[in-house]
Amino acid sequence: MNSPFGSAMGPPSRGLSPQELQTVQMMQGVMESCPGKVVMSGGIGFVMGAAMGLFMSSFEYAGPSLNEEIAKQTTKQQIKHAFKDMGNRSYSMAKNFAVVGMIYSGTECCIESYRAKNDLTNSVAAGAFTGGLLAAKAGPQAMALGAGGFALFSLAIDWYMRRD
């Protein structure tokens, strides 16, 4: 299949002006650079975290475990409280997902650039670093567990994505 942006197997198709070709090459260069990958991962992580936060916070208001203080409020106040809480949780999860995505993608890109290889070792090392860094405040045992867990998760995801 031939697209104006090229394919994974070859250069962009003919028919693009030199300026369009230069723009496409510049966009590809930004998307393949480490800072570009970090920014994209942070943005995508932020959006995914916001969606997850919204989804997860919606379950708090379902079921019999409703706080008595909230139950005594008017319906309008309850809705206002629920939306405010959902927004706060969405924003919090969005920030967390963005940070994790930025650390992981930045680390993986730096390791890949240093090793000049694109293999599973990069994702395992980046996962170990990310997991250890995220658990650093909890002590060395938590860092080791976080590094191991994140490395295994990264290995599983990358292996699944690379299988033919």
Side-chain angles (χ1 to χ4, degrees), residues 149-163:
F150 213 108
L152 286 173
F153 181 73
S154 299
L155 176 66
I157 295 297
D158 209 17
W159 174 81
Y160 180 79
M161 296 300 286
R162 289 175 186 261
R163 67 184 174 87

Side-chain angles (χ1 to χ4, degrees), residues 65-145:
S65 64
L66 189 62
N67 189 349
E68 285 183 38
E69 184 179 302
I70 296 172
K72 292 179 182 176
Q73 295 176 346
T74 65
T75 304
K76 184 177 179 179
Q77 290 172 329
Q78 288 178 6
I79 291 172
K80 183 178 178 182
H81 177 78
F83 280 149
K84 185 175 182 180
D85 188 48
M86 289 169 82
N88 289 339
R89 288 178 188 228
S90 292
Y91 183 64
S92 176
M93 284 191 83
K95 290 188 300 184
N96 291 338
F97 273 54
V99 167
V100 170
M102 290 171 72
I103 292 170
Y104 178 80
S105 67
T107 304
E108 185 182 36
C109 189
C110 289
I111 292 169
E112 187 176 311
S113 296
Y114 178 77
R115 293 184 67 231
K117 291 182 181 178
N118 185 354
D119 58 9
L120 292 176
T121 304
N122 297 341
S123 61
V124 171
F129 178 80
T130 303
L133 185 64
L134 292 173
K137 290 182 182 177
Q141 186 177 8
M143 285 178 68
L145 192 61

Side-chain angles (χ1 to χ4, degrees), residues 17-39:
S17 70
Q19 185 178 8
E20 290 172 328
L21 186 60
Q22 184 181 12
T23 303
V24 168
Q25 289 172 342
M26 183 184 69
M27 289 172 57
Q28 286 176 340
V30 168
M31 292 177 72
E32 291 174 3
S33 70
C34 287
K37 287 180 180 181
V38 168
V39 169

